[in-house]
Amino acid sequence: MPCLHRNKLQCLQLHQGGSATTTLAGGKGSANGQLRYGITLSNGRQYTQVIDNSGNNAIPGTFSYRSGESGIVSIDGTSGVVTLQDNSHEDVNLEVLVCPSQRSITGGTTAIAANLDPCNVGDTRTIEARMNTGGMLLGVQRLRAHLLCLSLLLLSMVMFQL
């Protein structure tokens, strides 16, 4: 294994769809990105891109990866592929560690935002709804609703007073 003491990673970034991003966005379990970075080893050898565009690692077995937030993103500990699992109101830290000791390395942490798409075809959601009937009782013969990203469309409803 190459010697990695007194060195730091350069340009640690998450790439999604071929370009660097600070936000991992998309569908749960299907949106993913690849950690990319460079490093200069103690012997002076430089790698400007440790993981290439195809996900191949130039020095396999040297690094592992982890996320600071479990349940928000999953990260493959070997390949550095990050997969979106949930939304987060705070940035999520992604970290590159030196194997086998799992120690941190300077420049080895980056923060990203995690944002699920607002709607995915086939998703099921439970929505609590309240309605002001103006003192009338609500008798529902048939209630159908469709979620259209950010709007709720009620297709039919009947109100009557008893």
Side-chain angles (χ1 to χ4, degrees), residues 64-87:
S64 64
Y65 310 92
R66 71 177 174 201
S67 165
E69 289 288 329
S70 63
I72 304 297
V73 298
S74 58
I75 185 165
D76 185 285
T78 305
S79 68
V81 172
V82 180
T83 304
L84 182 62
Q85 300 298 334
D86 204 351
N87 286 317

Side-chain angles (χ1 to χ4, degrees), residues 39-53:
I39 191 166
T40 302
L41 304 177
S42 297
N43 63 7
R45 184 163 185 187
Q46 291 185 333
Y47 292 89
T48 57
Q49 196 170 322
V50 173
I51 299 175
D52 67 18
N53 294 335

